[in-house]
């Protein structure tokens, strides 16, 4: 009698634990959906979007409404290769919105300058800067479009494939920092739709970048040696030209960019149509 009473009580307790756990699990899901995903939509990219820009090895991704319709061009290149100057040129066109790198944020996050810290002590501050770069670049990619064509300076891809990779390969980023950043990056790429239609690669020699960097004279960059620009250059070449390092998310238009400014402006005009008609489909 006492034993069957105990078994009954045990069963009721188990049932209670089960229903409480299930309830709290469901609550977590709806809380998660409401809090995290409200501005976007989960869509089945296999059924709704079939262009190659969606082929990122995932069937369900977080997509901003309407983001699949605009054209996205990322301008990539070494430090001081002329990306901002190129964007400035195209910003005069009505249907193009230009998004420069959020470097002002990297120089001032709540009164701190992670860009300067990274150059002073890359092993200590590389992760700090690159985590923030990843966040701010993701924010740039997901920001609401204000024109049919978007031209962006760099991308979340080059942040990882060029700058994080360089810190790691040069021995200035500890394995654990690289592992954490890589897991963040892989999660983002697998779960969030980040369309790119064309990469415009401003191909320069490191020496020319070094001269332009000296002329620009950004205070954080005064200690950059030519060897750093050479390493960044080689990573760009392996990614976008040799295609031996990482997956390239879009077709690449290479524009040789060592020339003086008037010739560069002419080259931008020569390539205008190719750029504006790009659709990674
Ligand atoms: N074609 C060019 N010839 C000479 N100087 C240039 C040219 N393009 C840009 N510059 C100068 O070089 C520096 C770096 O250019 P910038 O557009 O800021 O490069 P990035 O955005 O790639 O770092 C700036 O001082 C800019 O005025
Ligand atoms: N992921 C990144 C991106 C940029 N930087 C650095 C390199 C430059 O000092 C600066 C901005 O580059 P620019 O627009 O002049 O080519 O930010 C970095 O360290 N990591």
């Amino acid at each position: 009698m006492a034993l069957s009473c105990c078994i009954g009580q045990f069963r009721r307790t188990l049932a209670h634990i089960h229903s409480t756990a299930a309830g709290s699990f469901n609550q977590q899901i709806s809380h998660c959906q409401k809090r995290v995903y409200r501005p976007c939509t989960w869509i089945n990219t296999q059924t709704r979007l079939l262009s190659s820009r969606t082929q990122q090895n995932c069937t369900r991704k977080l997509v901003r409404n309407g983001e699949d319709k605009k054209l996205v061009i990322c301008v990539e290149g070494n430090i001081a290769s002329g990306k901002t100057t190129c964007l400035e040129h195209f910003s005069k066109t009505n249907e193009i919105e230009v998004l420069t790198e959020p470097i002002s944020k990297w120089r001032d996050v709540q009164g701190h300058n992670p860009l300067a810290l990274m150059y002073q002590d890359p092993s200590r501050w590389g992760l700090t800067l690159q985590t923030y770069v990843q966040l701010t670049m993701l924010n740039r990619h997901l920001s609401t479009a204000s024109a049919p064509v978007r031209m962006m300076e760099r991308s979340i891809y080059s942040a990882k494939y060029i700058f994080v990779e360089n810190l790691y390969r040069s021995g200035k980023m500890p394995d654990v920092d690289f592992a954490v950043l890589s897991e963040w990056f892989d999660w983002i790429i697998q779960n969030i739709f980040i369309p790119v239609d064309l990469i415009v690669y401003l191909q320069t020699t490191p020496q020319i970048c070094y001269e332009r960097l000296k002329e620009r004279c950004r205070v954080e960059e005064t200690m950059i040696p030519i060897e750093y620009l050479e390493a960044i250059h080689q990573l760009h070449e392996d990614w976008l030209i040799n295609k031996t390092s990482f997956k390239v998310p879009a077709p690449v238009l290479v524009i040789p960019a060592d020339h003086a400014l008037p010739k560069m402006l002419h080259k931008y005009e020569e390539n205008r149509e190719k750029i504006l008609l790009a659709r990674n489909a």
Side-chain angles (χ1 to χ4, degrees), residues 131-145:
T131 304
Y132 196 51
V133 168
Q134 193 156 271
L135 171 69
T136 52
M137 289 309 295
L138 180 61
N139 187 266
R140 277 283 198 268
H141 281 287
L142 297 181
S143 64
T144 309

Side-chain angles (χ1 to χ4, degrees), residues 169-266:
R169 283 194 196 178
S170 60
K172 293 190 179 103
M173 177 173 276
D175 289 4
V176 61
D177 292 4
F178 183 72
V180 169
L181 264 171
S182 298
E183 291 220 359
W184 260 115
F185 176 78
D186 291 346
W187 189 91
I188 290 167
I189 295 310
Q190 279 159 24
N191 291 282
I192 303 178
F193 180 57
I194 301 174
V196 179
D197 290 285
L198 181 72
I199 290 177
V200 173
Y201 173 36
L202 299 187
Q203 191 180 40
T204 46
T205 53
Q207 186 58 41
I208 285 283
C209 290
Y210 192 62
E211 285 161 23
R212 291 180 187 168
L213 182 133
K214 292 282 167 210
E215 183 194 304
R216 179 174 64 191
C217 211
R218 211 180 254 153
V219 65
E220 292 87 351
E221 297 173 347
T222 49
M223 74 274 276
I224 293 183
I226 180 84
E227 290 77 17
Y228 186 75
L229 298 178
E230 282 166 355
I232 296 290
H233 171 73
Q234 196 52 53
L235 282 160
H236 276 95
E237 292 285 300
D238 288 344
W239 179 39
L240 300 174
I241 304 287
N242 306 325
K243 301 194 169 137
T244 50
S245 57
F246 301 102
K247 189 166 178 265
V248 184
V252 181
L253 174 67
V254 184
I255 303 186
D258 271 355
H259 309 288
L261 197 54
K263 185 157 178 190
M264 285 315 301
L265 298 182
H266 184 68

